Amino acid sequence: MAAPNGRAFLVVMDSVGVGHAPDADEFFNGDLPDTGANTLGHIKEACAAGRAEEGRSGPLQVPNLDALGLSATLAPGGEGLWGVAEEVSAGKDTPSGHWELAGLPVPFEWAYFPDKTNSFPQEILNEVQRLCGTDGTLGNQHASGTEIIARLGEQHEQSGWPICYTSADSVFQIAAHEETFGLERLLRLCEGLAPMLHARRIGRVIARPFTGAPGTYRRTGNRRDYALEPPEKTLLDWATEAGRPVITIGKISDIFAGRNTGEVRKGPDAELMDHLLDTVETAPEGALVFANFVEFDSLYGHRRDVSGYARHLEWFDTAIAPVLDAMRPDDLMILTADHGNDPTWPGTDHTRERVPVLAKGPYSGHLGLRKFADVGASVAAHLGLSERGAGESFL
């Protein structure tokens, strides 16, 4: 066991699953169960077969992640501090995965909006209208965010009505133009609506601002998630209450409703990697750094862009190398994921998958098959924290 003053870095490669979970038949994309989904495996197959040639070419090249055991997770065997983890929470969404990685399996079932059209109860739409002062809304359906903005953006600008939509996840999303509707107005609307949705066990109200003109609309980086607060303590609470410095990078502060998320750093993935490198170089002893790299999921998985996902994996592999090189001898870094999002799979939703658990630090041994919560317990053990949550340390 490393000294309690060692630092810990928990890095989530959002949606980089490594094969369907044993209960994947209970989770669906449309009418198709997730049995057979394999985000990393199917990307590797597509690359090897020459079906992922846009902006890159040939077999998938991720030598730094493979040195930690990434490809080995697809065909278990060999040595190294790597393994795979299964989720016990009844979801394949972002909050469920992250809460459980932080030691808290979700103790309830999320609510959803299952109807593809006319998705929302009228009382919710009435509250949206009351909060933003309009006499109507647009959307009210399951949709891809980029598609519904392209389709309804001009009508939104003309009417002033917000665009409301959802997906297979436990979310209520509102898209609005940053200039004609107003960014601050959109954020106030989502913040005001969130308590009503959280009371119904809807996990997140998401502000989806966009800009541009008809035909050239694009979402901006000012997205904001208003998430249901975890009902019990997580790794972030344990570390904060023990007096440890906490730095959260990317979506983490949104996912945990800002509770004990410490110093918050945001931006696109390339900027987040700079933040991660900076924390490895400068974070004080005993610090917890918790990072999420979302673009695997948001830009490539949901859009079923195999080439783009492969390019992002190869970018991440190159960019993480100096981060790994900068680690101190008593540091622990765990790279993992929160669910799958197989870009070769029908539909546009997440896929229920096992995730990789890759570790670099002052330990040795094969991790084997673990639970998500074991990740949080292991980080806590490395930091010398007394609380471990629902997991067991693999260190």
Side-chain angles (χ1 to χ4, degrees):
M1 178 66 63
N5 286 337
R7 305 179 304 172
F9 302 84
L10 177 52
V11 178
V12 179
M13 303 177 292
D14 201 304
S15 84
V16 183
V18 292
H20 70 265
D23 59 358
D25 60 334
E26 300 174 17
F27 297 83
F28 293 83
N29 265 263
D31 295 329
L32 180 72
D34 287 342
T35 307
N38 189 330
T39 299
L40 179 65
H42 288 158
I43 292 170
K44 288 176 68 72
E45 289 175 5
C47 291
R51 299 194 304 271
E53 297 289 304
E54 297 176 16
R56 61 163 311 282
S57 187
L60 185 69
Q61 301 292 331
V62 286
N64 297 300
L65 294 173
D66 279 347
L68 295 176
L70 180 63
S71 291
T73 62
L74 297 171
E79 299 299 324
L81 196 61
W82 61 267
V84 297
E86 295 176 354
E87 186 174 8
V88 302
S89 301
K92 54 175 179 175
D93 54 273
T94 296
S96 295
H98 282 77
W99 290 7
E100 191 167 328
L101 287 170
L104 176 62
V106 180
F108 52 77
E109 291 193 9
W110 298 104
Y112 301 89
F113 299 109
D115 294 335
K116 301 297 184 182
T117 59
N118 297 317
S119 302
F120 307 123
Q122 189 60 47
E123 57 265 30
I124 293 177
L125 298 177
N126 290 343
E127 182 67 0
V128 172
Q129 294 171 209
R130 186 189 71 81
L131 288 168
C132 67
T134 64
D135 56 3
T137 61
L138 299 173
N140 190 15
Q141 63 190 105
H142 283 229
S144 156
T146 52
E147 181 277 329
I148 200 169
I149 289 168
R151 175 163 48 88
L152 297 179
E154 186 173 8
Q155 185 180 353
H156 157 73
E157 288 201 88
Q158 293 171 348
S159 67
W161 295 359
I163 303 170
C164 303
Y165 65 102
T166 188
S167 69
D169 289 341
S170 182
V171 296
F172 188 99
Q173 306 191 70
I174 306 179
H177 198 282
E178 285 197 356
E179 287 82 35
T180 58
F181 187 89
L183 176 59
E184 291 305 317
R185 183 184 178 198
L186 172 61
L187 298 181
R188 289 195 304 270
L189 167 59
C190 292
E191 184 177 16
L193 184 65
M196 180 183 193
L197 275 294
H198 292 165
R200 296 168 179 247
R201 296 296 190 194
I202 298 298
R204 290 177 291 165
V205 175
I206 305 177
R208 289 289 200 171
F210 64 97
T211 190
T216 62
Y217 290 129
R218 60 176 181 82
R219 296 197 293 197
T220 75
N222 292 320
R223 163 183 170 159
R224 187 78 59 82
D225 292 39
Y226 296 89
L228 179 66
E229 187 171 313
E232 299 174 26
K233 292 182 180 180
T234 71
L235 174 63
L236 292 166
D237 301 304
W238 312 335
T240 300
E241 291 173 4
R244 302 307 178 89
V246 172
I247 302 170
T248 52
I249 297 174
K251 290 174 55 178
I252 301 301
S253 63
D254 294 329
I255 295 166
F256 290 86
R259 192 177 77 199
N260 287 324
T261 51
E263 178 187 340
V264 177
R265 303 190 186 187
K266 294 192 174 186
D269 276 9
E271 187 176 327
L272 299 183
M273 189 64 77
D274 291 338
H275 289 314
L276 182 60
L277 177 59
D278 179 66
T279 62
V280 170
E281 292 175 340
T282 65
E285 285 299 300
L288 167 65
V289 177
F290 195 171
N292 169 281
F293 288 83
V294 73
E295 291 177 8
F296 298 103
D297 185 61
S298 62
L299 297 186
Y300 308 113
H302 286 298
R303 300 180 188 183
R304 297 305 190 243
D305 181 351
V306 180
S307 294
Y309 208 127
R311 288 196 310 272
H312 206 61
L313 281 166
E314 290 173 336
W315 164 79
F316 185 91
D317 184 81
T318 299
I320 199 69
V323 176
L324 296 170
D325 289 343
M327 290 174 60
R328 301 172 187 170
D330 62 349
D331 286 342
L332 170 69
M333 180 174 290
I334 295 178
L335 295 102
T336 186
D338 53 341
H339 49 70
N341 200 346
D342 188 340
T344 73
W345 208 244
T348 60
D349 296 323
H350 297 153
T351 42
R352 178 76 165 186
E353 296 185 46
R354 289 171 168 170
V355 301
V357 181
L358 316 176
K360 179 180 179 181
Y363 308 99
S364 61
H366 179 50
L367 305 184
L369 179 61
R370 313 297 307 198
K371 300 298 184 184
F372 276 32
D374 295 348
V375 173
S378 301
V379 171
H382 177 77
L383 292 173
L385 305 178
S386 59
E387 296 187 76
R388 305 290 167 85
E392 296 183 6
S393 173
F394 46 68
L395 303 181

